[in-house]
Amino acid sequence: MDPVLCGLAANPALPVELVDRLIAVADEYIAADLADREGLSRAQAVTLASRVEETVVTLVGRGLLTADDIDPVAQPLAALALLAEGTGRPEWARLFAADPDAERREKLAACPGLPPDVMETLAADSNVRVVAELGLWTTADMAVRLAGHPHAEVRRAVAANEATPPAVLAALITGEGLPAARWCLVCDGEETPSPDLWEPSCDGSHESTVDQTRQAALWNPATPAEAVIGFADDPSMQLRWPLAIRPDLPPETYERLADSPEPVVRAALAENPAIPDHLVRALATDPSLDVRRNLAANPHVPLEVLTSLAGAAKVAQTLLPRIAAASPAEVGELANSPDPAVRMLVAQRRDLPAEIRDMLAADADAKVLKSIAPHPGLSEAQLRAMADRHGVRVLAKVATNPDASPALLETLTQHQPPVQKVFREVAQHSNATATALLACLRDHQARRIAAGHPSLPSQTITDLLADEDWQVAESAAANPSLPLASMSKLVVHQTGH
């Protein structure tokens, strides 16, 4: 990989003629950056796809390639990418359904809107992985048929398909009404043992795949509630866990799940907006920090419960759904709380009334200031006052404020002792000056960011192209302020023409 050419390929200021030169010599890495370029023409996309076919998924996704641009025989990846987008041609699907390459047939099986005859062909494929892939993505009618497939792997895939009818999903859980499966990947000798605690097994009943089928159906939101509630007391955590996130179960089922010994199940339950109020309050005293943290993220948690959780680690360092939905009166109540952890919660909002914002900006607690510092609308005097009062504890957050002035950003980079996070924030700030960015270059991590900032002096950008850190060199090459002469010289030197 040539990091400089990769950076140039991503540079938005690279002239069209230099883009064409890079396309002509692109390897897979350069091509990946070229495929993401804004302003790439359809003609350039066609040329790029013909040179490096791995780019076609990106180009198709961006709408830069159409069926008229593709030869399915010469460019099978491109044709399959268009079929995956639903814009390929039916005859291509028939071509790939008969392709001797099973991997291509498997990719085809995941495509939407396949002609009925193609689905029939894939459903009868000799490779079970092709049929399973069809089962995972196919229509309801075909899912009904594949649910009774003799191979358990196909049934597992159908159980994960949200288009599978609810009654069929219920049958896949119990096996009732379905003929017994004859094979699985384990007894086929195709299943590779997992490196973790789970290891596939089969004593003739295909138990590993049957268990996975049941799990897939329990995670599937289309599976009817009455088919899953019986697993609330199951000894297996893997079968109780998916129930904890479902919003359509009876309250008594949630209460049984709350007795699960595993914190991961209770944590999933805590975030479920459908759990009853009394269960919310019970989970607020759960010994697991993960459970309490997830409960704080529940959009229906009562405000008084949420404030009792405010001190939990990292709870107050993000905007929680209940805080985002708080009424003006609740916002005022939270902002005037005697608990700084509660004031931190509301300070995470970025739409506070000016009087609330300004009150929190004058808070005596540094943690509250860290939360409010990025709020738009704060004046330079307010931001400087925060920095003066609490120094290194708040400087990095002050640097993230979108209204931080160029002069303030320079001041922050000159603070003693230096704060490494400040350099990283300033290096990506739109108001950063050349002086501030040059200071950021002294920090190892910020250097990679600052090298791509358009306010960096052009000579410095050019010098950074030879930096010993390839990420810095790549970032400099992608800098839109890189002089045109340097771009041309690099392309000519690196490509030989």
Side-chain angles (χ1 to χ4, degrees), residues 42 57-66 69 85:
R42 180 169 171 269
V57 173
T58 299
L59 296 171
V60 166
R62 296 183 59 197
L64 292 173
L65 292 178
T66 68
D69 304 316
E85 290 286 322

Side-chain angles (χ1 to χ4, degrees), residues 277 280-281 284 292-312 314-316 318-326 330 334 337 339 341-346:
D277 183 73
V280 169
R281 297 179 187 277
R292 302 195 305 275
R293 187 180 295 149
N294 279 22
L295 186 64
N298 190 316
H300 292 169
V301 62
L303 204 56
E304 68 273 15
V305 174
L306 179 55
T307 56
S308 73
L309 298 168
K314 300 189 183 300
V315 162
T318 185
L319 179 59
L320 300 170
R322 180 63 182 86
I323 298 299
E330 290 172 331
L334 293 165
S337 170
D339 185 351
V342 174
R343 301 198 299 277
M344 286 174 66
L345 289 176
V346 72

Side-chain angles (χ1 to χ4, degrees), residues 475-490:
S475 182
N479 194 319
S481 293
L482 180 67
L484 177 58
S486 295
M487 293 184 190
S488 299
K489 183 179 179 181
L490 282 169

Side-chain angles (χ1 to χ4, degrees), residues 117-309:
D117 60 305
V118 171
M119 287 201 292
E120 292 291 341
T121 300
L122 294 172
D125 199 287
S126 60
N127 188 308
V128 68
R129 296 187 185 276
V130 173
V131 187
E133 193 68 13
L134 180 66
L136 185 60
W137 303 106
T138 194
T139 61
D141 289 345
M142 180 59 74
V144 171
R145 288 175 50 188
L146 293 180
H149 195 277
H151 204 289
E153 184 65 15
V154 176
R155 301 184 185 204
R156 183 200 61 77
V158 172
N161 187 338
E162 294 185 21
T164 301
V168 175
L169 291 168
L172 286 166
I173 289 178
T174 63
E176 295 177 7
L178 296 176
R182 301 178 194 171
W183 309 286
C184 71
L185 293 179
V186 180
C187 54
D188 286 349
E190 294 186 23
E191 184 68 77
T192 303
S194 171
D196 55 24
L197 296 178
W198 183 85
E199 189 167 323
S201 61
C202 179
D203 61 5
S205 64
H206 323 300
E207 63 271 16
S208 290
T209 311
V210 168
D211 186 57
Q212 288 180 308
T213 299
R214 190 175 290 119
Q215 289 181 42
L218 291 173
W219 281 108
N220 193 328
T223 302
E226 58 270 19
V228 308
I229 56 177
F231 291 92
D233 301 311
D234 196 277
S236 171
M237 177 197 75
Q238 299 296 337
L239 300 182
R240 282 180 277 112
W241 190 359
L243 272 63
I245 69 169
R246 290 190 60 129
D248 58 347
L249 303 183
E252 56 269 22
T253 302
Y254 295 130
E255 291 173 9
R256 287 153 58 196
L257 291 167
D259 290 331
S260 294
E262 305 88 359
V264 67
V265 176
R266 303 196 308 276
L269 184 68
E271 203 167 359
N272 189 331
I275 59 176
D277 183 73
H278 71 276
L279 200 52
V280 169
R281 297 179 187 277
L283 290 170
T285 61
D286 194 281
S288 168
L289 178 60
D290 287 338
V291 173
R292 302 195 305 275
R293 187 180 295 149
N294 279 22
L295 186 64
N298 190 316
H300 292 169
V301 62
L303 204 56
E304 68 273 15
V305 174
L306 179 55
T307 56
S308 73
L309 298 168

Side-chain angles (χ1 to χ4, degrees), residues 237-475:
M237 177 197 75
Q238 299 296 337
L239 300 182
R240 282 180 277 112
W241 190 359
L243 272 63
I245 69 169
R246 290 190 60 129
D248 58 347
L249 303 183
E252 56 269 22
T253 302
Y254 295 130
E255 291 173 9
R256 287 153 58 196
L257 291 167
D259 290 331
S260 294
E262 305 88 359
V264 67
V265 176
R266 303 196 308 276
L269 184 68
E271 203 167 359
N272 189 331
I275 59 176
D277 183 73
H278 71 276
L279 200 52
V280 169
R281 297 179 187 277
L283 290 170
T285 61
D286 194 281
S288 168
L289 178 60
D290 287 338
V291 173
R292 302 195 305 275
R293 187 180 295 149
N294 279 22
L295 186 64
N298 190 316
H300 292 169
V301 62
L303 204 56
E304 68 273 15
V305 174
L306 179 55
T307 56
S308 73
L309 298 168
K314 300 189 183 300
V315 162
Q317 297 181 30
T318 185
L319 179 59
L320 300 170
R322 180 63 182 86
I323 298 299
S327 67
E330 290 172 331
V331 166
E333 178 184 344
L334 293 165
N336 284 284
S337 170
D339 185 351
V342 174
R343 301 198 299 277
M344 286 174 66
L345 289 176
V346 72
Q348 290 291 343
R349 283 184 57 151
R350 298 293 173 255
D351 59 349
L352 294 172
E355 63 274 14
I356 298 292
R357 178 201 65 204
D358 293 343
M359 180 180 71
L360 293 171
D363 201 284
D365 192 288
K367 296 189 295 296
V368 177
L369 294 185
K370 287 175 65 176
S371 293
I372 196 66
H375 198 295
L378 291 172
S379 69
E380 180 167 354
Q382 288 173 309
L383 294 172
R384 285 187 180 275
M386 293 182 195
D388 291 342
R389 287 203 309 276
H390 293 283
V392 296
R393 299 181 66 187
V394 302
L395 294 187
K397 290 297 184 180
V398 169
T400 68
N401 190 289
D403 300 320
S405 70
L408 175 58
L409 295 175
E410 288 183 10
T411 300
L412 295 176
T413 61
Q414 295 161 8
H415 188 275
Q416 294 298 325
V419 179
Q420 305 310 119
K421 287 185 178 180
V422 165
F423 295 124
R424 296 165 210 165
E425 297 297 343
V426 172
Q428 58 188 325
H429 201 292
S430 60
N431 292 340
T433 63
T435 299
L437 293 167
L438 290 171
C440 293
L441 291 176
R442 296 195 293 267
D443 178 78
H444 177 68
Q445 293 186 34
R447 184 180 183 85
R448 299 171 180 175
I449 305 169
H453 199 293
S455 294
L456 202 62
S458 58
Q459 185 56 55
T460 302
I461 301 170
T462 302
D463 293 342
L464 289 172
L465 295 170
D467 198 274
E468 60 183 16
D469 184 333
W470 69 268
Q471 291 176 298
V472 173
E474 183 175 11
S475 182

